Amino acid sequence: MAASSIFMATPITLLKKTPTFSVKCMSQTPQSGEPEISKSATNPTPPQINIPPPPPPAPKVSTKFSDVLAFSGPAPERINGRLAMIGFVSAMAVEVSSGQDVFTQIGNGGVAVFVGTSVVLTLASLVPLFKGVSVQSKSSGLMTSDAELWNGRFAMLGLVALAFTEYVKGSALV
């Protein structure tokens, strides 16, 4: 039988708020007739583990109204992109289903729907930013914040291209 150890942990409280622990170790010597285990076998050197340093803390996000809605701030392009994505998809869906072009849709009550959607989506986009939540902190996997920006940019271009081609097509008929 190899040498065994008995560990005892006893709390030491001397009028302290948090107790500290001390550890005592008592070792038994091998019995007669038992082989002794060399010190290097019982106490091998621990393997070296390379732990990467923790990532630096994220920079503090400003929640001031002027910083959030600044030209280079996090809100304007995201909100415009989100509105363009909804507008492009809904304009195409209505055009495919009913045959109305963008200008006819706007003339048939589309302005009220656009204003309502804009207000709701803008408020929903601004609330997390005013609470200090960054857009990058919530993006992972396939739908990252960069993918959202690019999808919004393409939707803005698509909506303008759709309106322009319908305008040119409509003016050619007159």
Side-chain angles (χ1 to χ4, degrees), residues 61-70 73-80 82 118-135:
V61 179
S62 175
T63 58
K64 288 176 26 182
F65 186 78
S66 60
D67 291 338
V68 169
L69 291 175
E77 187 174 7
R78 291 193 191 282
I79 293 171
N80 289 337
R82 290 171 183 171
S118 299
V119 169
V120 169
L121 195 63
T122 300
L123 291 175
S125 298
L126 288 176
V127 168
L129 294 174
F130 285 134
K131 287 185 176 182
V133 177
S134 70
V135 179

Side-chain angles (χ1 to χ4, degrees), residues 11-126:
I12 300 172
T13 56
L14 299 173
L15 300 175
K16 292 183 178 179
K17 291 182 181 178
T18 57
T20 58
F21 289 90
S22 66
V23 177
K24 295 179 184 176
C25 179
M26 295 181 280
S27 176
Q28 286 182 326
T29 57
Q31 304 281 333
S32 63
E34 292 180 1
E36 279 199 41
I37 300 173
S38 68
K39 212 175 203 185
S40 63
T42 60
N43 196 8
T45 58
Q48 295 293 331
I49 300 173
N50 294 331
I51 299 173
K60 181 112 171 113
V61 179
S62 175
T63 58
K64 288 176 26 182
F65 186 78
S66 60
D67 291 338
V68 169
L69 291 175
F71 183 73
S72 61
E77 187 174 7
R78 291 193 191 282
I79 293 171
N80 289 337
R82 290 171 183 171
L83 288 171
M85 286 186 269
I86 291 173
F88 181 74
V89 170
S90 60
M92 290 300 294
V94 170
E95 187 167 344
V96 167
S97 66
S98 68
Q100 294 179 343
D101 63 357
V102 174
F103 300 110
T104 307
Q105 294 175 32
I106 292 171
N108 290 339
V111 174
V113 174
F114 169 74
V115 170
T117 304
S118 299
V119 169
V120 169
L121 195 63
T122 300
L123 291 175
S125 298
L126 288 176

